[in-house]
């Protein structure tokens, strides 16, 4: 399990169709990006 981390705010740019899909799926984009980054980090360690 991960320890306590400082959170940083980043701005990303996505296409309109991607934005619509995210809204339709009720996806939490921040959680999604953090999970995917963790997967990539674990793969490369």
């Amino acid at each position: 399990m991960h320890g306590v981390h400082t959170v940083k705010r980043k701005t990303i740019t996505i296409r309109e169709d991607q934005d619509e899909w995210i809204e339709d799926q009720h996806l939490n984009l921040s959680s999604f990006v953090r999970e995917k980054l963790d997967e990539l980090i674990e793969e490369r360690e």
Side-chain angles (χ1 to χ4, degrees), residues 1-44:
M1 193 68 191
H2 299 287
V4 176
H5 296 283
T6 301
V7 177
K8 298 285 186 175
R9 185 175 299 270
K10 299 289 184 183
T11 301
I12 66 167
T13 303
I14 59 174
R15 298 185 315 260
E16 186 173 348
D17 64 316
Q18 293 170 327
D19 183 53
E20 291 171 1
W21 187 88
I22 289 165
E23 292 290 327
D24 290 345
Q25 301 301 311
H26 307 286
L27 182 68
N28 181 314
L29 191 55
S30 293
S31 294
F32 177 79
V33 170
R34 283 193 305 268
E35 288 172 15
K36 293 300 178 183
L37 285 169
D38 282 340
E39 288 175 13
L40 289 172
I41 290 166
E42 289 177 15
E43 286 175 10
R44 295 175 186 216

